[in-house]
Amino acid sequence: MHLLPLLQSVSNWAPIVLVRDSKFGMPMVQSFHLLGLTMLLTTVVVLNLRLVGLGLRDYALSRLAQQLKPWTVGAIVVVMASGLLIFLATPGKYVDSHPFRLKMVLLCSALLFHFTVLRRFTSDHSVARSRLVKVMMACISLTLWFGVGWAGRAIAFIP
Amino acid sequence: MPLHEWCEWLQHTHFATMITESEWLFPLIEGSHILALPLSVGMIMIADLRLLGLGFCGEATWKFVPRFLRLSRIGFPVMFLTGGLLLITQAAKAYGNPFFRAKLIFLLLLGINAVVYQKLFFPKMAEWDSAGGAPAGAKFCAAFSLVIWIGVIVCGRTMAYQF
């Protein structure tokens, strides 16, 4: 594979070496990753709970979706930036990891689902749909996002 | 028995070694501890942001904030249960870890902060929105909660590097 040597030369780039080899570099980047994850999954959970009508019923769905969006997008930027840095610091840990590959597939699916299907269900112009369909949408969304988290955790335990 | 010896004993009990040596139990507990974050701390953070006037202004504070405090009750039992189990398996290592100690102090401060909020500000919340948002004291509690919870997460993640 030609990818690993290229990634390893990136991982020897001075700013990345600085983060990797300083005592608190990686813990700080990992902490940002975890804080971003917390905010991201929180906004996703809140949106899905409201979608299926569990709590926050007086809060208009489209308005809540609008107000959650900057926090979701901000959190995605934080997790992606910190995640990229973690990946580039030690690419050897990730390129051949099966859980990592699964995580990337789930991440792409979750992002796609969130900003296409779920967005349509939570926007102003959303057509009235049966509760069953909404529950199914929420289940798919939560499975995908929490799947990303579980696959991420599995990287440390499964090759 | 001094505390560190007790921690040593705890870590080597049959129950603790069973979790440590299990191929799937430890990852499952650790994963649950992390993924309960959005269902506990995350909900508190949303309530804090609302109290600080930094977002989610579509509903009166006295309605919005209690809803999220209630939602956090889903995650916190999972948090304390899994956290307790993780602690049992690593008690002796955690004992001397400065980040674990900081995390415990932070949690204690957050407990005090929550009681203060509950006693001083919670009963009067319904009066706020007519008077233009939360009073300074309540905002201070919210900012304190937000910052210290971030500290708990940072310490929790960093303590793993110090073992």
Side-chain angles (χ1 to χ4, degrees):
Chain A
M1 219 167 155
H2 308 294
L3 193 60
L4 193 56
L6 176 73
L7 287 170
Q8 265 157 354
S9 62
V10 176
S11 78
N12 289 323
W13 189 38
I16 290 173
V17 172
L18 185 75
V19 172
R20 185 180 53 221
D21 296 349
S22 63
K23 194 177 173 203
F24 288 108
M26 287 319 284
M28 282 317 290
V29 178
Q30 288 278 6
S31 295
F32 272 106
H33 201 60
L34 202 52
L35 288 167
L37 169 152
T38 304
M39 188 43 86
L40 173 56
L41 291 185
T42 303
T43 59
V44 168
V45 168
V46 170
L47 187 62
N48 280 303
L49 285 178
R50 176 63 190 84
L51 176 66
V52 299
L54 286 172
L56 294 160
R57 273 186 219 190
D58 307 338
Y59 210 120
L61 175 59
S62 60
R63 188 160 189 204
L64 183 67
Q66 221 172 32
Q67 295 187 328
L68 284 169
K69 200 178 169 186
W71 298 98
T72 310
V73 172
I76 287 172
V77 171
V78 172
V79 281
M80 295 258 241
S82 54
L84 186 67
L85 201 50
I86 294 163
F87 175 75
L88 290 176
T90 47
K93 265 193 203 171
Y94 303 102
V95 281
D96 292 322
S97 157
H98 289 101
F100 178 74
R101 289 177 188 178
L102 177 65
K103 181 180 182 178
M104 291 304 109
V105 171
L106 287 170
L107 174 64
C108 293
S109 316
L111 284 170
L112 201 65
F113 187 81
H114 191 86
F115 289 106
T116 57
V117 181
L118 204 67
R119 191 179 162 188
R120 211 163 284 176
F121 271 83
T122 55
S123 74
D124 235 349
H125 328 284
S126 61
V127 224
R129 276 175 238 247
S130 75
R131 183 139 192 249
L132 181 68
V133 179
K134 288 179 183 171
V135 170
M136 277 166 57
M137 292 305 123
C139 286
I140 294 171
S141 168
L142 291 172
T143 306
L144 287 173
W145 282 116
F146 278 85
V148 175
W150 278 108
R153 204 69 287 266
I155 297 169
F157 297 99
I158 301 168
Chain B
M1 205 182 337
L3 189 58
H4 67 270
E5 274 178 36
W6 192 76
C7 290
E8 197 75 48
W9 169 80
L10 193 62
Q11 188 177 322
H12 293 103
T13 51
H14 177 69
F15 182 67
T17 48
M18 182 193 75
I19 296 173
T20 316
E21 285 166 10
S22 162
E23 223 172 282
W24 55 272
L25 210 47
F26 188 83
L28 184 72
I29 295 170
E30 202 194 32
S32 304
H33 192 63
I34 290 169
L35 291 172
L37 273 173
L39 298 166
S40 53
V41 182
M43 298 300 170
I44 301 286
M45 284 175 157
I46 301 267
D48 290 337
L49 290 171
R50 174 67 183 91
L51 281 170
L52 288 167
L54 293 174
F56 314 106
C57 303
E59 199 178 41
T61 320
W62 67 272
K63 272 190 187 171
F64 188 83
V65 170
R67 281 187 215 285
F68 279 82
L69 298 184
R70 266 203 302 279
L71 282 174
S72 78
R73 289 189 207 156
I74 307 170
F76 276 119
V78 180
M79 237 20 181
F80 285 113
L81 178 70
T82 53
L85 290 173
L86 289 174
L87 177 60
I88 289 171
T89 65
Q90 320 189 20
K93 282 190 272 182
Y95 175 82
N97 190 309
F99 292 94
F100 177 69
R101 291 182 176 191
K103 184 177 176 177
L104 281 190
I105 292 169
F106 284 167
L107 286 173
L108 181 70
L109 291 174
L110 285 162
I112 296 169
N113 186 56
V115 171
V116 168
Y117 183 83
Q118 203 75 24
K119 292 268 176 240
L120 292 184
F121 304 109
F122 203 79
K124 291 179 195 154
M125 281 179 80
E127 298 158 27
W128 290 354
D129 288 279
S130 52
K139 281 190 176 175
F140 177 82
C141 282
F144 183 84
S145 159
L146 199 56
V147 172
I148 303 297
W149 273 120
I150 290 172
V152 168
I153 293 175
V154 171
C155 285
R157 188 65 192 86
T158 306
M159 65 181 275
Y161 283 87
Q162 305 292 312
F163 280 161

